[in-house]
Amino acid sequence: MRAALKGLYSKYDAAYIKNPILMAGATMGAKASFCDIIAQRYEDPNCPVDWSRCGKFTFFCVAYVGSFQHLLFNKLYPRLFPGTGALQAAKCALFDNFVHSPCLYLPTYYTYRSFTSHGSLTDGLTQYRREGYDVLKACWGIWVPSQFINFYLVPPNFRILFIAGMGSVWEIVLSYMAPMKHTGPLTDPHTPEGFEEDDSERTVRRRVSERELAEEKAREEENKTAVAAADLGGADSGASTGGGSNSNGDCEVKSV
């Protein structure tokens, strides 16, 4: 087991050295899709997975959380905070949580979410101002200690893998608290009344599906009622015709 883990460690390290941007993006992408599915199941176990939401969240994590943050952690931070040791790690962790996260990471996330959900960049920043502080508190609770460990103990080639592991909890929190949801005008003409702009796309689709099922059931009931009425009308007509024939027969007998 130990030898197998050592072999995986060596292979990942070699692959990361050869293609750091690609490996960083792939690491975060695989994990992000898994985390978003878990968040969706927790949000509403009875609703089908929203693959559009999952895809948008995964792309953001591939491009920003993986590839961009590789450059941030392994290229920029060492220049901003040169040296090694606990003090340098503390500086990186504090800068990342109290400058990078509130000023770049979360604004980028919210504007991307709004833009890909038929909203505007301004709408995204408005939503960030409204709910960003609650998300930031959750972020700090997880990432201040985690990033200190990351910059203090983890080799550079494994920093993205480390945040992929620690970030599993964070991305479930982020995807649940601020999912890739519908933020712009609704285009589906069959959407039920009561739609809110902040409803998630999967919630909207569920409401549409429920309405369509209700309408289909109502149509089936109407068809059954119409068929039953037609059958009853046919039976009444047949009885009337049969009665007329007997009456004519009686008249003929009497005539004879």
Side-chain angles (χ1 to χ4, degrees):
M1 181 66 178
R2 186 175 180 180
L5 291 175
K6 188 175 180 180
L8 289 174
Y9 179 95
S10 300
K11 288 180 180 179
Y12 185 89
D13 191 32
Y16 203 100
I17 292 171
K18 186 176 181 180
N19 295 295
I21 301 295
L22 179 63
M23 283 298 295
T27 299
M28 296 307 301
K31 179 188 66 70
S33 58
F34 177 72
C35 289
D36 186 68
I37 291 171
I38 292 177
Q40 291 191 44
R41 290 300 187 192
Y42 180 78
E43 178 185 335
D44 189 346
N46 298 319
C47 189
V49 173
D50 183 346
W51 293 109
S52 174
R53 161 181 159 171
C54 184
K56 288 184 288 186
F57 188 73
T58 299
F59 179 80
F60 175 81
C61 289
V62 168
Y64 190 103
V65 183
S67 300
F68 175 75
Q69 287 196 150
H70 160 78
L71 299 174
L72 195 68
F73 295 166
N74 297 327
K75 302 295 182 183
L76 181 61
Y77 284 3
R79 294 183 180 183
L80 291 178
F81 310 105
T84 58
L87 180 60
Q88 188 262 359
K91 289 178 181 179
C92 289
L94 292 174
F95 183 87
D96 190 68
N97 279 277
F98 294 99
V99 178
H100 167 232
S101 290
C103 298
L104 184 60
Y105 168 58
L106 285 175
T108 300
Y109 175 82
Y110 273 86
T111 53
Y112 167 79
R113 184 186 72 168
S114 178
F115 181 75
T116 56
S117 300
H118 312 293
S120 67
L121 301 183
T122 303
D123 292 336
L125 292 175
T126 299
Q127 289 159 4
Y128 174 53
R129 284 195 296 269
R130 185 170 64 241
E131 57 188 64
Y133 182 63
D134 289 333
V135 176
L136 276 169
K137 287 190 293 184
C139 174
W140 293 330
I142 295 171
W143 286 113
V144 170
S146 297
Q147 287 292 53
F148 175 77
I149 295 171
N150 195 19
F151 292 114
Y152 187 42
L153 299 175
V154 179
N157 285 355
F158 289 85
R159 284 175 180 165
I160 296 298
L161 183 62
F162 175 82
I163 67 169
M166 291 302 301
S168 296
V169 176
W170 163 243
E171 287 182 5
I172 291 173
V173 171
L174 179 62
S175 186
Y176 178 71
M177 295 182 69
M180 289 289 176
K181 60 189 177 182
H182 184 98
T183 57
L186 190 65
T187 57
D188 194 320
H190 301 296
T191 299
E193 295 180 1
F195 168 76
E196 299 291 340
E197 286 191 355
D198 286 340
D199 281 346
S200 67
E201 293 176 10
R202 68 199 300 258
T203 300
V204 172
R205 283 211 310 274
R206 183 185 61 190
R207 293 182 181 180
V208 171
S209 177
E210 288 173 353
R211 177 169 179 171
E212 289 176 346
L213 286 173
E215 290 175 349
E216 183 179 352
K217 185 176 290 187
R219 285 194 298 268
E220 288 178 356
E221 291 297 329
E222 289 177 1
N223 291 337
K224 288 179 181 178
T225 302
V227 169
D231 290 343
L232 183 59
D236 289 343
S237 175
S240 240
T241 304
S245 298
N246 291 337
S247 177
N248 292 337
D250 291 343
C251 292
E252 289 174 1
V253 170
K254 288 179 182 180
S255 298
V256 173

